[in-house]
Amino acid sequence: MIVSTKGRYALRVMVGLAMKDTGEYIPLKEIAEEEDISQKYLESIMTTLSKANFVDAVHGKGGGYRLNRPAKDYTVGSILKLTEGNLSPVTCTSQGCSRPTCCKAMPMWERLEKMINNFFEDITIADLIEEGKEIL
């Protein structure tokens, strides 16, 4: 499993929004500058986050983005699944195995996928922000 820039950037943005959580909307341009992400690419990420109700969005003057719930209510897993589609380590767990009745490795891949999902679902944005918190 390789997390794309879309997943990594979405996670960075969500942490950044949580750290600035004053209830105010933060303009896209400001987020892009602070995170060093192109505004055009960030716009597509924010659209994804907004459509999935991870952030509130207001367009026009005074607009921008903000979290719509506490940082502790966002898991890393939910953000990565939204942006990546899934966290499967191999295609046979996400798209179906071509030899499900005889593949002796399939149970191992299924356990690995479960471990990956559980790992990321146990980490929240608040955990990432909390100083000194060891999450591994």
Side-chain angles (χ1 to χ4, degrees):
M1 172 192 69
I2 296 177
V3 178
S4 70
T5 56
K6 186 174 184 179
R8 294 193 321 268
Y9 290 175
L11 193 54
R12 278 180 26 201
V13 166
M14 294 294 285
V15 169
L17 290 174
M19 292 176 69
K20 291 182 149 202
D21 194 13
T22 62
E24 300 292 319
Y25 287 92
I26 302 171
L28 182 73
K29 182 178 180 180
E30 184 178 324
I31 298 168
E33 289 172 359
E34 288 180 4
E35 296 299 329
D36 195 26
I37 302 170
S38 89
Q39 209 168 322
K40 186 172 179 82
Y41 191 36
L42 182 59
E43 191 173 325
S44 87
I45 293 169
M46 297 311 293
T47 298
T48 300
L49 292 169
S50 179
K51 285 182 177 180
N53 200 31
F54 279 52
V55 297
D56 290 332
V58 172
H59 300 286
K61 186 173 168 79
Y65 298 89
R66 69 178 184 192
L67 299 184
N68 56 23
R69 52 189 180 262
K72 67 179 181 54
D73 293 344
Y74 296 95
T75 66
V76 170
S78 65
I79 295 164
L80 291 178
K81 286 175 194 168
L82 174 66
T83 55
E84 300 298 318
N86 67 61
L87 300 175
S88 297
V90 291
T91 57
C92 46
T93 59
S94 64
Q95 298 175 5
C97 183
S98 62
R99 302 182 61 185
T101 57
C102 64
C103 179
K104 300 300 181 200
M106 189 61 167
M108 175 194 65
W109 294 127
E110 290 171 337
R111 284 195 317 272
L112 178 59
E113 181 175 22
K114 185 176 180 180
M115 288 170 55
I116 291 168
N117 280 291
N118 289 340
F119 176 79
F120 286 124
E121 286 299 330
D122 285 343
I123 304 169
T124 68
I125 295 298
D127 292 334
L128 295 177
I129 294 170
E130 188 178 316
E131 285 185 356
K133 170 109 172 133
E134 187 172 334
I135 58 174
L136 298 177

